[in-house]
Amino acid sequence: MVTNDIKKLIKKALIEDIGKGDITTNAIVPQEKLAFAKLIAKDYGILAGVEIAKYSFVLLDKRMTKGNTGSVKWTAKLSDGSTLVPGKIIAEIYGPAKSILTAERTALNFLQKLSGIATESSKFTKKIKPFKTKILDTRKTTPLLRTLEKYAVKVGGGFNHRFGLYDAILIKDNHIKIAGSVREAIRMVKNKYPNKKIEIEVQSFEQLKEALKFDLDRIMLDNMNISDIKKAVKLVRHKSKLEVSGGVHLKNVRNIAKTGVDYISIGCITHSPKSLDISLEFE
């Protein structure tokens, strides 16, 4: 989970917050002062980002102690995917008070945000049980945090759509406008990438019928109402996988899943979830 790239990301986050030094902590806390602290949940939800929080403290302590490792002792009490309730202890930390105080906000920012995403993902996945439909994320992620945010979606029970523009073909409305038609957009893609699976976004039954003339891996129904989605499912009849996107929320996601579509992609899971309330408290 904590790859070298993610460690570099954590380092950049720490530098962004600390700059040339934590001047308040430097003024108040003696270098030799040791402390014991707990990370405590203040909200209900799903936990994600435990190892990210841990490395925020470990990497900062390594920097402050000039490479000496092991001075911060981290004891995880819960793992990613655990259910949180107010008062539940996530982890215990013992070590230099300076290191703990200085890394606190960076660690909590990661932990709160990722847990918020996992919690939102979990809400949607629970709503559509026991249907076969899978909840997907989108590319609507925080710049440079996509790997972590898509990981948090999976912790909450969701699935990942394409990671970026390079790993899957998705013909969207603006591609179709530039190409001139659904038929022409698909033809151009097949000529360029004959062995690639293709997904296309359609906004009308006219576009859907045109898309069905081709052997496509997936068709995305964009901003269609329940009635139209039902009609689309009957029209497609397993000729292609069907995905619904646009206008999806917790009140209608179950009814969408009932129609028999294969996937529902939801941007709000990553772009606007409420971060969970988690605090660090010294004993």
Side-chain angles (χ1 to χ4, degrees), residues 259-274:
T259 65
V261 296
D262 301 283
Y263 307 100
I264 303 173
S265 53
I266 308 169
C268 70
I269 290 176
T270 51
H271 73 59
S272 55
K274 173 184 172 290

Side-chain angles (χ1 to χ4, degrees), residues 12-252:
K12 288 180 179 179
L14 289 165
I15 291 169
E16 176 188 52
D17 196 32
I18 299 164
K20 293 183 179 180
D22 178 357
I23 56 178
T24 309
T25 298
N26 289 342
I28 295 173
V29 183
Q31 187 69 37
E32 68 278 4
K33 180 69 175 179
L34 298 176
F36 178 78
K38 295 178 180 179
L39 286 173
I40 303 174
K42 301 291 184 180
D43 250 337
Y44 294 92
I46 303 297
L47 178 64
V50 172
E51 288 298 304
I52 305 301
K54 172 186 175 181
Y55 271 91
S56 297
F57 291 105
V58 171
L59 293 176
L60 186 278
D61 183 60
K62 185 177 180 180
R63 175 184 172 183
M64 292 185 71
T65 56
K66 298 180 180 179
N68 295 326
T69 58
S71 54
V72 164
K73 305 295 184 184
W74 170 278
T75 305
K77 296 297 183 180
L78 298 174
S79 58
D80 286 356
S82 298
T83 300
L84 296 178
V85 297
K88 211 161 190 180
I89 298 172
I90 297 168
E92 294 176 344
I93 312 163
Y94 177 78
K98 272 192 169 185
S99 296
I100 297 172
L101 277 168
T102 303
E104 173 186 358
R105 178 42 51 201
T106 298
L108 287 177
N109 283 348
F110 279 123
L111 194 61
Q112 290 173 307
K113 183 175 184 65
L114 297 181
S115 296
I117 291 171
T119 300
E120 196 70 10
S121 178
S122 176
K123 288 178 182 178
F124 278 97
T125 56
K126 287 177 180 177
K127 276 283 186 182
I128 66 169
K129 288 182 178 180
F131 303 107
K132 67 171 186 176
T133 311
K134 293 181 178 180
I135 297 296
L136 303 179
D137 55 24
T138 69
R139 286 168 42 246
K140 295 177 182 177
T141 55
T142 308
L144 302 180
L145 295 184
R146 185 170 295 176
T147 299
L148 296 180
E149 292 180 352
K150 281 182 170 282
Y151 164 76
V153 168
K154 293 172 70 175
V155 171
F159 294 83
N160 296 151
H161 206 293
R162 59 178 179 165
F163 190 87
L165 296 171
Y166 57 86
D167 63 342
I169 292 172
L170 173 51
I171 303 170
K172 297 178 71 68
D173 58 341
N174 285 328
H175 295 120
I176 295 170
K177 288 176 183 176
I178 291 172
S181 68
V182 166
R183 176 187 293 273
E184 186 61 16
I186 295 172
R187 185 194 67 78
M188 294 168 75
V189 168
K190 281 184 172 290
N191 283 344
K192 183 73 173 179
Y193 302 104
N195 299 317
K196 284 280 189 181
K197 292 182 178 180
I198 300 173
E199 178 177 5
I200 189 166
E201 174 187 270
V202 300
Q203 298 177 317
S204 68
F205 281 95
E206 182 182 356
Q207 288 185 334
L208 176 59
K209 290 175 182 177
E210 194 172 355
L212 284 173
K213 294 175 183 178
F214 297 86
D215 181 21
L216 301 177
D217 181 62
R218 193 183 307 180
I219 297 173
M220 178 190 292
L221 308 176
D222 184 45
N223 281 295
M224 288 191 181
N225 59 39
I226 294 292
S227 177
D228 285 343
I229 293 170
K230 288 179 179 178
K231 291 177 184 176
V233 170
K234 290 180 180 179
L235 182 64
V236 173
R237 292 185 181 181
H238 307 294
K239 295 176 185 176
S240 173
K241 297 286 187 182
L242 275 180
E243 177 182 338
V244 169
S245 181
V248 181
H249 46 76
L250 285 170
K251 290 183 179 179
N252 68 3

